[in-house]
Amino acid sequence: MPTVKLFASLRKFAGTKELSIIGATVGGVLLELTRQNPLLGTAILDGGNLRPHVVITLNGRNVIDLNDSVNEQDVIAIFPPIAGGQGE
Amino acid sequence: MSGWSEKVLEIDLGTQTYKTYPLNMEMARLFIGGRGLGARLLWELVGPEVDPLSPENVLIFTNGPLTGTGYQTSNRFSVTTKSPLTGTVLDANSGGFWGMQFKKTGYDVMIVRGKSEKPVWIEIKNGAIAFHDASELWGMRVFALTEKLGQDNNRRNVLCIGPAGENLSRMAAIMNDRERALARGGPGAVMGSKNLKAIVVEGRERPVIEDTDRFKFMLYETRKLLAASPLTSQALPEFGTAVLMNIMNNVGALATRNHQQTQFEGAESISGEELAEKYLVKNSACWACPIGCTRISKTEKVEGEGPEFESAWAFGAQCGIDDLPAIIEANTLCNDLGLDTISVGSTIACAMELSEKGYLDSDLRFGRADMLAPAIEATAHRRDIGADLADGSLRLAAKYHHPELSMSAKGMEMPAYDPRGLQGQGLLYATSNRGGCHMRGNMIGLEVLGLPKLVDRFQVQGKSAFVILSQNSNAAIDSLVICKFTNMGVGDEYFARVLSAVTGVQYATTEMIKVGERVWNLERLYNNREGFTAKDDTLPPRLLNEAPVDGPSQGWVSNLAPMLKEYYRTRGWDENGVPTRKKLVELGLADLA
């Protein structure tokens, strides 16, 4: 099963940093993830769509299309809205 | 005119005298304040014949028309000087409380010239200006000195240098309000070269606001906008800037071991999540800031502000160190000694690589957390290996015949984002007017975080337009001068409305970006006058030629040459990177050509 890594505030919603979730596409994994954990679902989805500024990567590359297929060894990382990098 | 105080204070340390005169208001209208006004004044005051550490260099402290008004994050101020690290124009800005208090003294600008015969500190208190003997304060560290001189956040504020500035480290910061820093490019060394230990301000004057009703409504609107943004209301307050560690590592753009790799196996151990879980005491905020991104962290040895993402990276991934307590302590030590954490961390990393490869005889090795504090102490005091480290990575690496191992642009150490995985960020570093810096513009939002939208981070064609917009926008915000984090909840165009309400001068929404472009071109002219050319718009050879062998950025180098060519053209510069007369006329800079 693909591995899902969670970061920042998402960890407290899921109670873990990492899970294995079944799914054939990034979107499919997300649906199963949020079905298993509705609280996490409210943090990253709004009416079935990704909340603004939520970042998802597949093996370190930003996901543009949730229909991208995934396989057993893939790693999906999910970040809630985060910011920074402008401290002087 | 409201907003500005319309007064300049000019101090001559050689004679310990001062004079005041009216601010040129046409200049103020064109350059606003902060960085822009500082650059315009530096153009007149410091030419190419001036050594940055000579009495002829100046320190120009500037606030802006919004400073001290109570507008959200209107606490910031700038210092402008010729950099002893890079030789370029330098401005650094800082938050906290000092900027607000400086504005209350009734001046927009304070120019410090000359050199005092003996150590001195300056007190500006309710209209009076006094020069005090600082002989007994010389050698004091920042925290103790700040307390001794009577820091009181809302009433009396201390700006000073530590031992690093006294010893002319080219990485020395000017510190204010104990742990805020005008950090980059070595302004602390300029202050040290003048034998100036501290400037303490107390003021009673309040900025005049032209249209108070409109301004109050904008305060209300801005509060709502910042509260509605998940970035400014949740992300920054909850995890601070260090939350970037994991995502930059995830995408393979976290410079590691002096940029030898782009992912760090210990990233999780030094992340914002780890900091929040194990070491965070509480949040803190600058004056008039509702965001509150500052972390107060505590280990068994220290308690203090930070570390910010770049500081945690510099002592962490860049040095191959995953010991967060040691990183927190290194950050606090730099604040107490008055040092720029980014440059110091990257210079230590450079020394580690030089040592591991046998070019430098030292015990510094990647992963040696126990070496951080001794190396920082040595740097601030120019002791032992610190005598070499104190001048920054480029001079260090050049001395040992391997300048290519300095991870710097124009001599300033770059921050955490590896340009091989972020093509636009590389162009930003190469063209930054003060050297390798993420504050002259930032592409992380566009290239990784999707702010405001995602752009392919490996894309080259068309990238220059995004970079230029970011550079111009940042130059405008630095000239207001407010915190760039405000811009994560409030659009650029809104600031023009706030500026108009405060000053009574009507700025069109497009005028702010035009101000930023004007400032950028002026800084470019300054650097060109200093002898910088297109050849200096480059990156270390490692980033141009050595692709990462694994991770999400595997196989990529910075594809700088085509981006630069496009950048010059989009900027309206010639092929040598020189602003054309047509561009300068368009920006109202024709008299400087």
Side-chain angles (χ1 to χ4, degrees):
Chain A
M1 283 188 283
T3 301
V4 175
K5 291 187 174 182
L6 302 170
F7 294 92
S9 58
L10 300 184
R11 291 175 175 178
K12 72 183 174 194
F13 293 122
T16 184
K17 295 178 182 176
E18 191 173 311
L19 313 88
S20 293
I21 299 288
I22 196 163
T25 64
V26 174
V29 170
L30 277 185
L31 280 178
E32 179 59 19
L33 175 68
T34 55
R35 189 191 67 75
Q36 289 182 17
N37 195 323
L39 201 57
L40 188 60
T42 61
I44 61 178
L45 297 177
D46 183 11
N49 296 315
L50 276 183
R51 285 187 177 277
H53 311 314
V54 169
V55 176
I56 299 178
T57 66
L58 174 61
N59 301 326
R61 302 294 286 263
N62 288 76
V63 172
I64 309 293
D65 186 351
L66 293 179
N67 292 317
D68 284 352
S69 59
V70 293
N71 61 40
E72 295 281 298
Q73 290 75 41
D74 284 342
V75 177
I76 297 171
I78 309 177
F79 300 84
I82 57 177
Q86 292 270 18
E88 185 81 3
Chain B
M1 203 176 287
S2 302
W4 292 281
S5 304
E6 302 189 35
K7 281 200 301 187
V8 178
L9 169 64
E10 186 170 317
I11 291 170
D12 186 330
L13 289 171
T15 56
Q16 303 214 343
T17 58
Y18 67 91
K19 60 183 177 182
T20 65
Y21 49 86
L23 176 67
N24 178 332
M25 293 312 296
E26 177 59 13
M27 187 186 289
R29 189 187 68 76
L30 288 171
F31 295 93
I32 303 181
R35 172 179 165 186
L37 190 54
R40 182 64 185 83
L41 291 165
L42 191 76
W43 173 268
E44 288 185 2
L45 296 172
V46 178
E49 73 285 358
V50 174
D51 183 292
L53 294 178
S54 72
E56 287 70 37
N57 198 3
V58 299
L59 290 164
I60 305 169
F61 294 92
T62 47
N63 53 57
L66 302 189
T67 312
T69 58
Y71 185 70
Q72 284 84 354
T73 76
S74 63
N75 53 68
R76 300 190 78 86
F77 69 105
S78 296
V79 68
T80 305
T81 188
K82 187 194 284 191
S83 167
L85 183 69
T86 63
T88 65
V89 61
L90 172 71
D91 92 284
N93 75 59
S94 177
F97 295 78
W98 196 91
M100 166 275 295
Q101 196 71 243
F102 170 40
K103 180 68 172 273
K104 285 168 68 177
T105 64
Y107 298 103
D108 303 297
V109 180
M110 172 168 49
I111 299 168
V112 181
R113 292 174 171 277
K115 177 181 180 180
S116 175
E117 190 178 333
K118 291 189 292 189
V120 65
W121 68 278
I122 297 170
E123 184 176 36
I124 305 172
K125 183 176 179 180
N126 302 331
I129 294 156
F131 297 87
H132 301 288
D133 184 0
S135 298
E136 291 186 2
L137 306 180
W138 207 250
M140 280 188 75
R141 296 178 182 231
V142 171
F143 300 166
L145 179 66
T146 301
E147 185 176 349
K148 184 178 179 67
L149 294 181
Q151 169 80 15
D152 179 348
N153 280 355
N154 285 310
R155 194 182 64 83
R156 178 180 170 91
N157 298 88
V158 177
L159 172 148
C160 66
I161 56 169
E166 296 173 9
N167 293 313
L168 308 184
S169 166
R170 294 176 195 269
M171 303 184 292
I174 297 174
M175 306 299 295
N176 63 282
D177 302 307
R178 183 182 155 101
E179 291 186 84
R180 311 302 303 188
L182 300 145
R184 306 230 63 197
V190 178
M191 196 157 150
S193 75
K194 296 182 176 304
N195 275 333
L196 176 58
K197 182 67 174 172
I199 304 174
V200 181
V201 288
E202 273 189 60
R204 290 178 179 166
E205 297 192 25
R206 298 204 172 275
V208 177
I209 295 166
E210 182 72 15
D211 187 339
T212 51
D213 288 343
R214 200 169 151 213
F215 180 69
K216 282 178 186 172
F217 181 68
M218 287 172 172
L219 281 178
Y220 166 75
E221 275 195 326
T222 302
R223 189 162 58 244
K224 281 180 62 177
L225 288 167
L226 293 175
S229 164
L231 304 173
T232 48
S233 67
Q234 295 168 29
L236 285 167
E238 193 168 357
F239 290 101
T241 57
V243 75
L244 286 176
M245 194 71 71
N246 277 324
I247 194 167
M248 298 316 302
N249 192 55
N250 179 266
V251 301
L254 187 71
T256 298
R257 294 184 185 84
N258 205 35
H259 290 66
Q260 293 184 94
Q261 296 97 33
T262 53
Q263 285 187 305
F264 180 44
E265 67 281 3
E268 177 70 38
S269 302
I270 61 171
S271 66
E273 289 91 331
E274 185 81 357
L275 184 67
E277 185 182 334
K278 295 184 179 171
Y279 303 101
L280 178 66
V281 177
K282 60 180 180 180
N283 284 15
S284 181
C286 299
W287 184 78
C289 175
I291 302 170
C293 69
T294 304
R295 327 262 84 194
I296 306 295
S297 306
K298 186 177 182 180
T299 70
E300 288 180 2
K301 295 179 182 172
V302 301
E303 179 173 336
E305 287 191 10
E308 298 292 336
F309 166 57
E310 285 79 12
S311 309
W313 160 80
F315 296 121
Q318 184 73 334
C319 290
I321 289 170
D322 62 2
D323 182 337
L324 191 49
I327 291 166
I328 294 169
E329 288 153 15
N331 178 70
T332 302
L333 184 58
C334 279
N335 287 345
D336 202 17
L337 294 166
L339 281 165
D340 169 19
T341 54
I342 296 175
S343 281
V344 170
S346 195
T347 299
I348 291 172
C350 177
M352 287 172 164
E353 186 173 358
L354 287 166
S355 301
E356 287 200 347
K357 290 185 168 164
Y359 305 139
L360 171 66
D361 181 18
S362 89
D363 295 330
L364 288 166
R365 295 290 184 276
F366 289 114
R368 286 286 302 271
D370 61 309
M371 299 296 292
L372 281 180
I376 293 166
E377 283 281 357
T379 298
H381 293 94
R382 284 189 178 273
R383 283 196 305 250
D384 307 321
I385 191 172
D388 288 339
L389 298 176
D391 287 325
S393 66
L394 184 57
R395 287 174 172 85
L396 168 77
K399 178 175 177 180
Y400 293 98
H401 314 295
H402 288 277
E404 75 280 4
L405 297 185
S406 165
M407 294 301 117
S408 61
K410 294 188 179 74
M412 181 185 278
E413 291 73 17
M414 294 176 292
Y417 317 102
D418 194 299
R420 289 167 290 193
L422 304 162
Q423 296 294 320
Q425 192 70 13
L427 179 61
L428 267 167
Y429 289 155
T431 56
S432 162
N433 286 326
R434 74 173 186 178
C437 166
H438 62 298
M439 298 300 298
R440 308 299 88 175
N442 194 300
M443 290 294 286
I444 305 309
L446 282 168
E447 294 192 318
V448 177
L449 304 178
L451 303 174
K453 64 173 184 176
L454 193 65
V455 172
D456 183 350
R457 60 195 173 97
F458 295 110
Q459 177 189 326
V460 171
Q461 190 175 13
K463 212 44 119 16
S464 68
F466 293 112
V467 168
I468 289 168
L469 182 61
S470 178
Q471 290 175 334
N472 292 348
S473 171
N474 277 18
I477 292 170
D478 285 343
S479 301
L480 282 171
V481 45
I482 58 174
C483 175
K484 296 184 184 79
F485 286 154
T486 316
N487 196 207
M488 291 180 175
V490 182
D492 289 340
E493 66 284 358
Y494 194 86
F495 298 136
R497 295 171 58 199
V498 178
L499 186 60
S500 299
V502 168
T503 64
V505 180
Q506 294 309 306
Y507 285 87
T509 52
T510 53
E511 179 67 12
M512 285 304 301
I513 292 296
K514 183 66 80 180
V515 169
E517 186 181 10
R518 184 178 296 126
V519 172
W520 192 272
N521 276 267
L522 170 61
E523 292 172 338
R524 181 74 180 191
L525 286 178
Y526 187 92
N527 287 348
N528 288 351
R529 193 175 72 177
E530 292 292 319
F532 289 86
T533 68
K535 288 202 299 291
D536 299 296
D537 294 335
T538 191
L539 295 170
R542 171 170 288 163
L543 307 184
L544 299 173
N545 304 316
E546 298 175 24
V549 296
D550 53 22
S553 300
Q554 181 179 4
W556 283 89
V557 295
S558 175
N559 200 357
L560 186 61
M563 289 193 291
L564 259 183
K565 191 174 177 183
E566 182 187 90
Y567 176 92
Y568 293 156
R569 190 171 63 244
T570 311
R571 273 263 176 227
W573 297 353
D574 68 18
E575 64 276 16
N576 296 315
V578 178
T580 60
R581 177 152 187 87
K582 181 183 172 193
K583 174 55 70 177
L584 296 179
V585 169
E586 175 194 321
L587 295 172
L589 296 172
D591 57 321
L592 307 186

